[in-house]
Amino acid sequence: KNEVEQSPQNLTAQEGEFITINCSYSVGISALHWLQQHPGGGIVSLFMLSSGKKKHGRLIATINIQEKHSSLHITASHPRDSAVYICAVASGGGADGLTFGKGTHLIIQP
Amino acid sequence: DTEVTQTPKHLVMGMTNKKSLKCEQHMGHRAMYWYKQKAKKPPELMFVYSYEKLSINESVPSRFSPECPNSSLLNLHLHALQPEDSALYLCASRESTGELFFGEGSRLTVL
């Protein structure tokens, strides 16, 4: 079974700061997902990665398959980025469910 | 339409009630999922449907009964639930590329 570790668990930063959230996993994967969840809300998929780097607006996600590690970066952070960010991995190529990390609770203060 | 729609958004039920949660997507995705999420915890997989057939049941109690009547619709039938079953129930669908789409969830309270 894959173990997914995220760090930090909690992060408070000032508006405008560069944010990095890390994720490591224990066994090989077919894909890694970065998800965002606002309090009491549903989950939004931010990125799906199997290699390299992806960018969407102020968000950048990278993955190093050899090191079994991924990072999510937020540039020019804003209070609306405050949410829980969850790393989740898919180990198979089929319809298997994800293994989730415990999430990083991010608060961006104005 | 790139949405997964879950209804109802909120449900309060007694332990003797029978109710259902509904999930719908019209993106042609053939894999659909039910997850249960307790407060401040990550989601836990309950069921996976692949091509309208149940492919994974993560040892979920029989008081939860999934149903996939067609490729667009996924139901979760609830009967004789316990207060500890109160949680956010999330539905997701998976594109053939692996990309996931989640619904907003149904928040269930069992009294």
Side-chain angles (χ1 to χ4, degrees), chain B residues 60-81:
Chain B
V60 179
S62 59
R63 57 185 184 269
F64 294 91
S65 174
E67 180 197 18
C68 190
N70 59 60
S71 59
S72 299
L73 186 56
L74 187 64
N75 296 319
L76 186 62
H77 302 297
L78 314 171
H79 175 53
L81 294 194

Side-chain angles (χ1 to χ4, degrees), chain B residues 2 10 23 28 43 57 59 66 71 74 80 89 92 94 103-104 107:
Chain B
T2 57
H10 299 275
C23 173
N57 174 345
S59 303
S71 59
L74 187 64
Y89 288 84
R94 180 181 178 273
E104 288 288 315
R107 186 161 298 283

Side-chain angles (χ1 to χ4, degrees), chain A residues 40, chain B residues 3-12 20-22 87-89 103-109:
Chain B
E3 284 189 349
V4 174
T5 303
Q6 287 189 244
T7 55
K9 291 194 184 332
H10 299 275
L11 177 62
V12 179
S20 297
L21 305 180
K22 179 179 168 183
L88 181 68
Y89 288 84
E104 288 288 315
S106 292
R107 186 161 298 283
L108 174 67
T109 302

Side-chain angles (χ1 to χ4, degrees), chain B residues 33-45:
Chain B
Y33 306 79
W34 280 115
Y35 287 93
K36 173 184 177 180
Q37 187 180 28
K38 302 284 275 185
K40 299 189 187 301
K41 298 285 187 184
E44 300 170 22
L45 182 64

Side-chain angles (χ1 to χ4, degrees), chain B residues 41-60:
Chain B
K41 298 285 187 184
E44 300 170 22
L45 182 64
M46 299 176 73
F47 302 105
V48 180
Y49 271 83
S50 180
Y51 290 87
E52 295 101 71
K53 293 196 187 314
L54 183 64
S55 63
I56 294 177
N57 174 345
E58 289 286 343
S59 303
V60 179

Side-chain angles (χ1 to χ4, degrees), chain A residues 30-50:
Chain A
S30 58
L32 182 143
H33 298 258
W34 280 105
L35 309 169
Q36 181 194 57
Q37 187 171 31
H38 283 100
I43 291 175
V44 174
S45 178
L46 299 174
F47 295 103
M48 184 184 76
L49 293 162
S50 54

